[in-house]
Amino acid sequence: MAIFKTLAFALSLATAALTAPNGTTPMQIRLAYAGPTGMMVSWNTYEKLANPTVYYGSEQNGLTHSASSDVSVTYQTSTTYNNHVKISGLRPNTKYFYNLEDTNTTTPYSFSTPRVAGDHTPYVTAVVVDLGTMGRDGLTTFVGKGAANPLAPGETNTIQSLQNFQDQYEFLMHDGDIAYADYWLKEEIQGFLANTTIAEGAEVYERILNDFYDQMTEVTSLKPYMVGPGNHEANCDNGGTKDKAKNISYTVDICMPGQTNFTGYRNHFRMPSAESGGVENFWYSYDYGMTHYVQIDTETDLGHGFIAPDEPGGPEKEDSGPFALMNQQTDWLAADLAAVNRAKTPWIVVAGHRPWYISVANDSSDVCWVCKDVFEPIFLNYSVDLVLSGHVHAYQRNAPMFNNQPDPKELNNPTFPWYITNGAAGHYDGLDTLDRPFQNYSRYAQDSAYGWSRLSFHNSTHLTQDFIASSNGTVLDSATLYKEHKVSGEGYGNGHHGKPNWPMWPHGGPPASGGWKV
């Protein structure tokens, strides 16, 4: 039966490709940093391109340079091809103009290359997590039975808010849960979308992905879009959906090839893993001015005897990964952080999708204790400043934390990393309700407004995080971290709490929660 479903879907895709107008017209344009002098330009087309090419130059009317590749890839259920071209040898902190067609009849796009490590000029970046498609297939002014928090008529959503503010930030970080295409079945069961067959649902899944990337293009064609993996990228059915009325429990087994194992995510993006020694779009790092950014993978590849949430046998039943060798992510993370020159990049910011300090029920679907056990000692050892997460669809700014204890110095030169969860960007299913009273480490929390984070790096010692309400652009919460960084030029290679000693920990990994003392 699965074979016939796959064949029927393939035939529908072939028909769509034949009838799609302008099969080579660029769409879903997106940028990503590719090292200090590179930019990855990606876009989608209905047809495969033999030689994807970007035309670029430092003048709007002078796109005198070009870069090409042979990377035009698709997967079984995709309706488009993903094209990726890396431009190398660019000047830092420079504006370039570019186009994806050899024509002067269209206005070119533009991008700016990153500031070099060591440039301590103040700058701003934007952060979203848990952002889905808006409109007909996602967050809009009404919801299905069982969903909540629709937009008010005329309310500005988060994608629109990011567009409104895009002249004020340098690039956009999206730390997992992108588009929420895997909500298609839940939306049909709740009566929000028209019911389809399971086979037809594969088309709805791809439609939601395409809608989201189209909606984001106004931002991502001009600002680098640095993404990380979340659980909603894993497969077509969020690990499983239950139709309570019919008493049917669906699992990942309903997903066709192409809609499992993070396939769409792996094809659509090209993050700077090659430039930083990471793995695909799962973990990587890059520098921007005074900051070293690290994206980690909380979904798979925790290593050290731990089963990650989305791996086969994991509690989220996503049946995805692993994508590397045992312990490869943590070995890479420690080496990456050890090599940071804090004179050039005094700030270290880590983004990982799942939180472990959050005011919700203590269960694996919300609180990632195994992530805490694996990553937290490394963060402390290498003096990470800020840890960003989402996954829970609310906003909570915490005190700097380690081993469930707030740093007594709070934001005044703390020793522990500062933890902020902001999963309130918005998607079909609305917001989550935080447990009250909030945890004793919570310093501000709210679960009633959609929004995103703005990071303002003032200098080597002061960093401000603002929570921006998408509806009207107001600042709902603001706090500034003061850190006295080492600036003598050495990295934090050996740490000031001792290098993590993996073999001494259970299963070759860190201790159980509560087992560490500072």
Side-chain angles (χ1 to χ4, degrees):
M1 184 67 176
I3 294 176
F4 290 113
K5 289 180 180 178
T6 303
L7 288 174
F9 187 71
L11 288 171
S12 70
L13 292 184
T15 302
L18 288 173
T19 58
N22 303 319
T24 60
T25 299
M27 55 187 178
Q28 302 176 19
I29 302 165
R30 54 209 178 273
L31 304 165
Y33 294 127
T37 61
M39 187 69 71
M40 183 67 69
V41 183
S42 303
W43 69 99
N44 283 44
T45 51
Y46 285 115
E47 297 177 12
K48 181 178 177 63
L49 302 183
N51 189 226
T53 301
V54 179
Y55 302 89
Y56 67 97
S58 56
E59 301 292 335
Q60 184 170 353
N61 296 320
L63 308 186
T64 56
H65 302 279
S66 66
S68 302
S69 79
D70 60 356
V71 183
S72 185
V73 294
T74 191
Y75 51 92
Q76 291 94 324
T77 55
S78 178
T79 58
T80 64
Y81 287 83
N82 299 273
N83 308 288
H84 305 283
V85 174
K86 179 180 177 179
I87 307 175
S88 301
L90 300 171
R91 296 189 300 274
N93 193 26
T94 301
K95 185 174 183 177
Y96 287 89
F97 298 88
Y98 74 98
N99 218 327
L100 306 175
E101 297 176 282
D102 188 10
T103 176
N104 291 319
T105 60
T106 58
T107 302
Y109 303 94
S110 66
F111 62 74
S112 292
T113 51
R115 299 181 184 275
V116 296
D119 182 345
H120 287 194
T121 303
Y123 75 93
V124 175
T125 191
V127 183
V128 293
V129 198
D130 306 286
L131 177 61
T133 188
M134 302 292 157
R136 63 174 183 176
D137 291 333
L139 182 61
T140 186
T141 55
F142 64 95
V143 296
K145 184 179 180 180
N149 308 116
L151 297 172
E155 180 179 349
T156 300
N157 62 50
T158 298
I159 295 178
Q160 293 168 329
S161 182
L162 291 169
Q163 293 169 357
N164 294 340
F165 278 86
Q166 64 182 325
D167 290 339
Q168 300 183 25
Y169 57 85
E170 304 299 309
F171 62 96
L172 174 63
M173 300 168 63
H174 190 161
D175 185 22
D177 285 5
I178 303 167
Y180 285 83
D182 63 345
Y183 260 46
W184 68 272
L185 181 56
K186 184 175 185 178
E187 293 178 28
E188 291 188 5
I189 291 172
Q190 293 185 347
F192 179 76
L193 295 180
N195 286 326
T196 63
T197 65
I198 294 300
E200 291 168 336
E203 297 183 52
V204 182
Y205 177 94
E206 296 295 337
R207 185 182 76 209
I208 294 174
L209 282 181
N210 289 330
D211 281 354
F212 177 81
Y213 295 130
D214 286 339
Q215 292 171 11
M216 289 293 292
T217 294
E218 185 172 326
V219 173
T220 61
S221 61
L222 301 173
K223 301 289 182 178
Y225 184 40
M226 310 305 292
V227 300
N231 53 296
H232 288 280
E233 282 72 73
N235 63 54
C236 84
D237 186 34
N238 188 26
T241 300
K242 186 174 180 64
D243 186 339
K244 295 180 181 180
K246 297 179 180 179
N247 195 29
I248 300 175
S249 294
Y250 298 95
T251 70
V252 67
D253 292 337
I254 70 172
C255 299
M256 292 185 177
Q259 295 182 351
T260 60
N261 207 34
F262 291 86
T263 296
Y265 175 76
R266 298 169 75 184
N267 279 268
H268 196 74
F269 297 105
R270 288 294 184 272
M271 294 296 109
S273 54
E275 292 80 3
S276 60
V279 169
E280 294 188 36
N281 304 316
F282 293 101
W283 56 88
Y284 59 88
S285 67
Y286 56 101
D287 293 329
Y288 190 100
M290 65 181 92
T291 313
H292 183 70
Y293 292 91
V294 183
Q295 176 66 55
I296 60 170
D297 176 11
T298 61
E299 307 309 299
T300 69
D301 293 273
L302 298 181
H304 306 283
F306 290 94
I307 298 177
D310 294 352
E311 286 181 351
E316 303 311 298
K317 299 180 174 59
E318 304 284 1
D319 199 30
S320 297
F323 298 102
L325 300 174
M326 177 68 74
N327 308 339
Q328 187 171 340
Q329 180 176 194
T330 50
D331 289 347
W332 170 84
L333 177 62
D336 181 86
L337 294 177
V340 175
N341 184 334
R342 299 303 277 264
K344 289 186 174 181
T345 53
W347 294 103
I348 296 179
V349 174
V350 174
H353 183 66
R354 292 175 185 263
W356 44 91
Y357 294 124
I358 187 70
S359 297
V360 294
N362 184 10
D363 62 67
S364 63
S365 64
D366 292 321
V367 182
C368 192
W369 292 119
V370 289
C371 301
K372 174 187 182 296
D373 290 340
V374 168
F375 294 120
E376 188 178 51
I378 303 177
F379 295 167
L380 182 71
N381 190 66
Y382 294 102
S383 298
V384 167
D385 297 298
L386 174 63
V387 180
L388 301 169
S389 63
H391 189 62
V392 175
H393 303 145
Y395 171 81
Q396 182 169 311
R397 171 173 57 83
N398 298 318
M401 295 289 295
F402 180 74
N403 197 32
N404 300 306
Q405 297 298 318
D407 193 304
K409 291 178 285 187
E410 294 285 330
L411 297 180
N412 185 18
N413 198 32
T415 299
F416 303 161
W418 189 20
Y419 284 84
I420 297 173
T421 294
N422 190 353
H427 69 103
Y428 162 75
D429 211 20
L431 296 161
D432 291 336
T433 301
L434 296 171
D435 286 353
R436 289 164 172 78
F438 300 132
Q439 295 284 356
N440 66 342
Y441 50 73
S442 174
R443 297 298 175 261
Y444 181 90
Q446 75 86 38
D447 50 15
S448 60
Y450 295 113
W452 51 279
S453 287
R454 179 174 64 197
L455 302 181
S456 300
F457 294 85
H458 306 291
N459 49 43
S460 64
T461 57
H462 290 80
L463 160 65
T464 297
Q465 191 269 166
D466 298 317
F467 177 46
I468 308 297
S470 298
S471 61
N472 56 19
T474 59
V475 177
L476 298 181
D477 178 50
S478 182
T480 297
L481 172 65
Y482 167 70
K483 288 292 290 285
E484 294 178 1
H485 291 110
K486 292 181 180 181
V487 294
S488 59
E490 78 275 20
Y492 277 40
N494 292 322
H496 51 277
H497 296 281
K499 187 175 182 180
N501 190 355
W502 298 110
M504 294 179 62
W505 295 347
H507 311 293
S513 297
W516 258 69
K517 292 182 179 180
V518 178

